[in-house]
Amino acid sequence: MHDAVAHDAAATGTLLVVGSGAAAFREYAFREIVAAGRHRLWLLTDTAPDWELPYLAGWTPTDPLDPQVLCKDAEELARTHRITGVLCLNEAMVWPAACVSEALGLPGPVPAAVWRCRDKALTRAALTAHEVGTPAAGTAAGLGRALELAAVIGYPVVCKPRALGGSIGVRRADRPEDLEAAFQAATAQLPDVPQRFEECVLVEAYLDGPEISVDSLVTEDTVQPLVIARKATSFPPFFEESGHVLDGSDPLYDDPALLRELDLVHRALGVAGCVTHSEWRLTVEGPRLIEVNVRPGGDLIPWLGALVTGVPVALTAADLATGQLPTPVRRPNGVAVIEFLYPDADMTVADLSVRGPLPDGVHVELSARPGDVLALPPRGYKARYGWITVHGESATHCRELIAQARTAIRIEAAA
């Protein structure tokens, strides 16, 4: 147990945070929560904190992927601190975090519901049992079974690991001869999956249509969309996320079909008392769920969402985790766009820089360093070398500014 430097005397209790992540994608959340002055943050982590320290009242070294170890350490901490809730922003750790909430008798989604979201096969089964529209799907331990499932479901199909995120290992197969490569793409990622399954790959019908994500405030009675992002993907037949467009006035916020499906899905999964990040396809038959994550979204979506809606998603999640019932009000404020930077082909970075002025309002973050290997799917899923964000009056205007910014970015490959 380690005391840290940050302490807000006005805060009413200690909020346990299970895991953190990279500063570029998570620091906004810590800053947003601490700035409100309602929660003291205590980090449970397997890595000594660095950028997190200014936001923490303290931290405890633990194994955030092992629910037994995590619960034991949290219970020990509760003997000397008034713990008011548990928050997790890391997809791999949301289920152990829910186990801690239950063990301490704190608010939050029940572990069984969180597990139904983590395991994509259980998600599909729950929706089917509650007669909620969902693509046909099945699980496979080997290629032979995957081929059998695909023949019954009908092509195109998608193969994906049952419990991984970020579109890693997700590949479309349009014909039987494509399925082996899709199955191998999913199984190649299994060493990165914290929870293992005998039937490790989900095979499901491909959903066609524009893709969106929705960060929602979920209670026992209501599901309120807080932030809606329209997603772009690249490198087919993979689904690598290449950018998001967020419009504070998007008509989807009030779309009856989407609101109905959001409610039906969360009720079927039994998820409540949290902020969720759900991903959808807008098909000709209506919105259809891809997956639900029991945490705020990644890719800076909540931060960008706050710019265009005025809703602090991370703070809303923290308040819910402590049993408070926030009442966020959306106040539309233009459009925000994030575009991720990828190389044209696999490469080792020799040099990366921004050369020349950027348009006003445009921010460029370069995340790669000389010597980094950028590998595109299927060789790898870590090929981003940075991103561009802009907040403007329209999507068209934002894209024009991003196009200008791209001309100032230089990346050189090692010989």
Side-chain angles (χ1 to χ4, degrees):
M1 186 185 304
H2 302 266
D3 291 327
V5 296
H7 176 78
D8 190 337
T12 57
T14 298
L15 176 64
L16 300 183
V17 182
V18 179
S20 54
F25 290 101
R26 291 291 182 245
E27 187 170 9
Y28 81 88
F30 282 65
R31 182 170 57 245
E32 182 175 284
I33 294 168
V34 170
R38 297 199 285 272
H39 309 285
R40 299 168 67 248
L41 302 185
W42 194 286
L43 184 63
L44 302 176
T45 178
D46 58 355
T47 305
D50 178 17
W51 62 265
E52 303 97 333
L53 281 172
Y55 306 100
L56 301 179
W59 64 282
T60 298
T62 187
D63 183 350
L65 294 174
D66 186 323
Q68 290 186 331
V69 173
L70 195 61
C71 286
K72 177 179 177 294
D73 289 334
E75 289 167 348
E76 179 68 25
L77 189 63
R79 293 189 178 96
T80 54
H81 294 72
R82 192 170 76 85
I83 309 301
T84 51
V86 180
L87 179 67
C88 184
L89 306 174
N90 187 310
E91 177 63 18
M93 303 170 187
V94 291
W95 178 65
C99 293
V100 173
S101 294
E102 183 178 62
L104 297 182
L106 296 170
V110 298
V114 175
W115 188 249
R116 275 192 291 274
C117 297
R118 282 288 292 148
D119 182 351
K120 296 174 176 63
L122 291 183
T123 300
R124 296 287 179 231
L127 298 187
T128 299
H130 287 79
E131 299 182 342
V132 180
T134 188
T139 56
L143 178 60
R145 176 57 178 161
L147 286 164
E148 292 174 0
L149 286 169
V152 173
I153 293 169
Y155 289 88
V157 298
V158 174
C159 291
K160 61 178 68 172
R162 282 177 65 169
L164 204 55
S167 300
I168 296 173
V170 182
R171 181 167 179 164
R172 172 175 162 170
D174 293 328
R175 305 162 299 171
E177 49 265 42
D178 301 329
L179 194 68
E180 182 175 3
F183 188 83
Q184 288 177 347
T187 56
Q189 306 309 314
L190 295 182
D192 295 328
V193 179
Q195 294 83 26
R196 305 301 173 88
F197 306 90
E198 182 178 349
E199 296 180 335
C200 53
V201 174
L202 185 73
V203 181
E204 64 183 16
Y206 170 70
L207 293 170
D208 198 12
E211 190 170 347
I212 66 167
S213 66
V214 185
D215 280 32
S216 301
L217 184 162
V218 186
T219 70
E220 295 288 349
D221 302 315
T222 62
V223 181
Q224 178 186 350
L226 304 177
V227 172
I228 294 176
R230 295 183 182 256
K231 181 188 298 186
T233 58
S234 300
F235 311 108
F238 297 91
F239 300 86
E240 190 81 2
E241 296 172 357
S242 54
H244 307 274
V245 178
L246 297 86
D247 185 341
S249 299
D250 196 315
L252 287 174
Y253 282 102
D254 302 305
D255 182 75
L258 179 59
L259 295 176
R260 176 178 179 272
E261 292 299 316
L262 278 167
D263 183 69
L264 290 174
V265 161
H266 284 86
R267 287 182 183 277
L269 295 171
V271 177
C274 58
V275 166
T276 67
H277 175 78
S278 54
E279 299 181 355
W280 303 76
R281 286 276 188 174
L282 304 180
T283 75
V284 294
E285 297 177 339
R288 291 293 181 265
L289 181 77
I290 298 174
E291 63 183 52
V292 176
N293 309 118
V294 189
R295 55 165 176 79
D299 281 358
L300 293 176
I301 289 173
W303 175 70
L304 294 168
L307 296 179
V308 301
T309 68
V311 175
V313 175
L315 178 60
T316 299
D319 288 345
L320 277 170
T322 59
Q324 302 175 50
L325 184 58
T327 55
V329 177
R330 177 169 52 93
R331 295 181 173 84
N333 180 29
V335 175
V337 177
I338 182 168
E339 182 173 299
F340 295 102
L341 302 171
Y342 292 87
D344 295 327
D346 293 359
M347 64 179 294
T348 299
V349 178
D351 186 51
L352 181 61
S353 63
V354 177
R355 301 175 185 176
L358 296 171
D360 290 342
V362 174
H363 176 72
V364 172
E365 182 78 20
L366 300 179
S367 55
R369 298 290 181 267
D372 286 354
V373 177
L374 307 180
L376 297 166
R379 276 87 54 195
Y381 300 88
K382 297 180 179 180
R384 292 178 181 175
Y385 61 84
W387 54 90
I388 306 171
T389 57
V390 60
H391 180 203
E393 59 189 28
S394 69
T396 299
H397 180 232
C398 289
R399 288 192 180 99
E400 290 172 351
L401 294 176
I402 286 174
Q404 294 176 37
R406 272 186 167 276
T407 64
I409 301 170
R410 298 288 186 274
I411 184 167
E412 298 177 8

